[in-house]
Amino acid sequence: MKSRNMSHAARSASGGTKVIIANWKMNLSINEGIKYIKALKKGKAEIAIAAPFTFLADLKKNIGNKKIKLAGQDVSRYEVGAYTGEVSANMLKEAGCAYCLVGHSERRIYFQENDREINQKVKNLLQYKITPIICVGENAEQRKKGLTKQIIKAQLLAALQGIKNVPLIIAYEPVWAISTFQKGKNVKSAGIFDIIAIHNYIRSLLETKFMNIRIIYGGTVNPENSQAILSLKEVEGALVGGASLKVSSFNAIIQST
Ligand code: PGA
């Protein structure tokens, strides 16, 4: 137990500081985003906002002295050139992004993003020193069949093919626990024991190859459950969708760490 804890501490990128990331998806307006940034309260955790591309420049101007980082929600798998509609890693860097989501389940499901593309995106981000937030997680059917670990391992190995010892954030986001995919139901996060087990599993898969990883949880994190989830030593942060859209609820999550 002791050596496991030491290894965990040695390999965490953060030295214990949790990272809480708001994923605004395709919501809000630029003005709403600016008001939100101004109303964000400080907490112990590091804060990042994954905002729509068109918001990034204005948000950056309005962050002022606040320690808020910016994240892209996606990046092109291409580096530069005639790819209409795409946004490159270099462009995200110029816009001030420290992080970028890759392989979010909405992109995998709605836009048929595959593992090969995800690997290319991760490589592009790393080239421009943007830390990828790689989203992995099983869907309800895979979970029912007992395939959770197998799916996560396959997604991680594919996303990280040809990559070693770089700073990374891995977001464990079980698809069945993301509010998007629970419409009309009483939305629920994954249970604490599932979260601990899978975070430990992900760490065991990656710790020999990566010194600098943080494993965070996403899927219906809200002010009611954030303290229980974020107080776990295995959980080094959270990726928050629905509950990040109102600054009051995101502030409550930040204050719970
Ligand atoms: P949710 O979304 O918090 O609304 O479940 C999380 C995510 O999609 O990253």
Side-chain angles (χ1 to χ4, degrees):
M1 191 66 189
K2 195 165 177 216
S3 73
R4 162 116 221 127
N5 285 344
M6 281 173 64
S7 141
H8 179 266
R11 288 169 194 279
S12 169
S14 53
T17 308
K18 313 245 168 182
V19 57
I20 305 183
I21 302 158
N23 180 7
W24 288 352
K25 308 189 180 183
M26 202 172 72
N27 293 296
L28 308 182
S29 67
I30 294 179
N31 281 339
E32 286 167 340
I34 291 170
K35 275 199 205 137
Y36 184 116
I37 293 270
K38 292 187 171 159
L40 259 186
K41 296 211 179 97
K42 257 201 350 220
K44 286 195 213 118
E46 179 190 333
I47 305 301
I49 308 284
F53 296 136
T54 53
F55 293 20
L56 292 169
D58 286 304
L59 294 184
K60 189 168 164 22
K61 278 189 221 139
N62 283 278
I63 284 175
N65 292 331
K66 288 190 166 175
K67 289 207 173 83
I68 302 166
K69 294 199 172 141
L70 291 175
Q73 295 179 8
D74 187 29
V75 64
S76 179
R77 66 182 191 271
Y78 302 109
E79 218 187 313
V80 63
Y83 301 104
T84 303
E86 292 285 277
V87 172
S88 72
N90 186 33
M91 291 167 184
L92 290 180
K93 187 78 197 175
E94 282 186 330
C97 290
Y99 299 119
C100 184
L101 304 180
V102 192
H104 189 280
S105 54
E106 287 153 16
R107 298 220 53 88
R108 292 181 194 255
I109 294 166
Y110 299 150
F111 303 95
Q112 290 81 45
E113 204 165 275
N114 65 39
D115 286 332
R116 203 176 112 77
E117 289 162 1
I118 290 166
N119 178 245
Q120 288 166 329
K121 291 179 178 197
V122 171
K123 285 179 173 159
N124 284 352
L125 291 170
L126 290 169
Q127 205 183 325
Y128 290 91
K129 305 229 169 331
I130 297 173
T131 303
I133 303 164
I134 303 173
C135 304
V136 297
E138 79 288 2
N139 65 29
E141 205 185 315
Q142 292 160 338
R143 179 172 193 246
K144 217 157 64 196
K145 290 187 183 151
L147 297 173
T148 299
K149 288 186 176 172
Q150 209 173 307
I151 295 293
I152 287 168
K153 184 176 182 181
Q155 287 177 340
L156 280 174
L157 292 184
L160 295 171
Q161 210 186 356
I163 297 167
K164 57 174 189 245
N165 219 5
V166 288
L168 289 177
I169 297 179
I170 308 296
Y172 172 50
E173 294 214 306
V175 177
W176 49 271
I178 295 180
S179 63
T180 314
F181 302 107
Q182 302 186 66
K183 277 200 183 102
K185 294 180 209 154
N186 183 15
V187 294
K188 277 211 290 251
S189 73
I192 295 293
F193 291 109
D194 277 334
I195 297 175
I196 293 174
I198 299 304
H199 280 232
N200 280 336
Y201 177 66
I202 294 173
R203 187 160 291 284
S204 74
L205 285 176
L206 299 182
E207 70 183 348
T208 55
K209 257 180 123 186
F210 296 92
M211 291 296 288
N212 202 342
I213 49 170
R214 276 188 278 184
I215 303 167
I216 68 173
Y217 170 78
T220 314
V221 174
N222 56 40
E224 287 74 51
N225 62 23
S226 58
Q227 191 174 16
I229 294 172
L230 284 161
S231 64
L232 300 170
K233 76 168 173 20
E234 292 81 2
V235 175
E236 296 168 294
L239 181 53
V240 188
S244 78
L245 294 180
K246 285 214 173 87
V247 71
S248 55
S249 105
F250 194 58
N251 272 335
I253 293 171
I254 295 167
Q255 301 303 315
S256 71
T257 58

